[in-house]
Amino acid sequence: MAKILLLEPSWGGIGHDPQDLEYASCVAKEYADEYADELRNLGHEVIEIEEPYANEANIAIRQQNPDLVWWVGHGEMCITTLQEQDIWISNFNTDFCSLRGVCCQDFNLDILKDTIANALSCVTGKELGKKAVEHGCLAYLGYVDNFIFLGCETQPCPCANEPPEGELPELVRPEIFAKVIRCMHDSNFYFNYSLAQGKTTGEAFNDSIERFNYWINEFENTEPQNDTEAGLLNEAIFVLTHDRDNQALHGRTDIKLGEHPVKRCEDYTTQEECEAAGCYWYDNACHTFPQITIPKEWFIYGSFLLSFIGFVSTSKIR
């Protein structure tokens, strides 16, 4: 059995549209709902964390020990964020530190250790993903440029298969619109789905690329009913091609879900990580079970009892 952890922020923070992350997150919810039974039949457990901040994501990973971590969040080459642009992982980058005041140190790079990561987060595939692999991430799927997607102007914008009336661009068929606003995220998430079917990371990456190609072919062979629909289809093809060509995989290409070592309590080396994972920290080490304390008044009785039992055992041997 493998565990798949989905981190689903819905708000990108100041300077971004409040709904700008919701497109990607809601596609994950769709897939989790749509394929839940199939994933369970394959022996997998799907865990969804909605609107997670960095600390909540860290706790979920340490407690659940997932095989695959998927998240959506704003990013740059040296940083990725979660709810309200809460900084989750970053690596030191001189230019970003001096010009923008971020990426001034390596931060939380080992949180993805022993996991497969799928980052729907702009530009993190350029540098951050490589650093995560250096710190123990088994494989990291990301993008070396911005991840672009299409949506609608009316909020809240639906991501379901059948958008409600009144939310559609004029002159565009509902079934066309439904495909256009989910196809980019669908292609990214197909990496997760292929892994869940037993594919290796390399095979799943190729399946994701082919999913982009599937949608490109679908739209190239769709006969538009008017100029508006033709423009939307052409724009979707452009965006899909951009995202496909900027998708990258770092780390191992031969790993499958469930093949990473289970992290035991004894493997944690700090008190914070130990206790966050539900383990017990004492004697300067992490333990599976709590420390046993014996009341002082029991010591004399305990010594007598042990001596007595020892004496009886010795007598019987004689």
Side-chain angles (χ1 to χ4, degrees), residues 4 7 93 149 245 248 268:
I4 300 171
L7 303 174
N93 182 292
F149 55 89
D245 293 347
Y268 293 102

Side-chain angles (χ1 to χ4, degrees), residues 294-315:
I294 301 176
K296 186 180 295 184
E297 58 269 20
W298 287 16
F299 285 146
I300 297 176
Y301 173 75
S303 299
F304 170 77
L305 181 62
L306 290 172
S307 298
F308 180 74
I309 292 174
F311 173 76
V312 172
S313 298
T314 304
S315 300

Side-chain angles (χ1 to χ4, degrees), residues 195-217:
L195 285 171
Q197 292 179 307
K199 303 287 188 68
T200 65
T201 44
E203 291 169 337
F205 177 82
N206 291 334
D207 285 349
S208 175
I209 295 296
E210 287 305 311
R211 191 66 172 178
F212 280 107
N213 292 333
Y214 164 82
W215 286 114
I216 292 170
N217 182 69

Side-chain angles (χ1 to χ4, degrees), residues 9 26 42 59 82 149 178 181 194 233 236 239 251 275 301:
C26 67
L42 293 171
I59 290 173
L82 295 174
F149 55 89
I181 65 172
S194 291
L233 291 169
V239 172
E275 294 177 347
Y301 173 75

Side-chain angles (χ1 to χ4, degrees), residues 68 116-117 138-141 187-188 190-196 198-211 247-257 259:
L68 169 63
I116 299 169
L138 298 176
Y140 186 105
L141 183 144
S187 300
N188 165 271
Y190 213 77
F191 177 75
N192 303 348
Y193 184 56
S194 291
L195 285 171
K199 303 287 188 68
T200 65
T201 44
E203 291 169 337
F205 177 82
N206 291 334
D207 285 349
S208 175
I209 295 296
E210 287 305 311
R211 191 66 172 178
Q247 183 167 287
L249 180 67
H250 303 297
R252 294 179 58 178
T253 60
D254 62 336
I255 193 73
K256 295 182 179 181
L257 287 184
E259 292 186 348

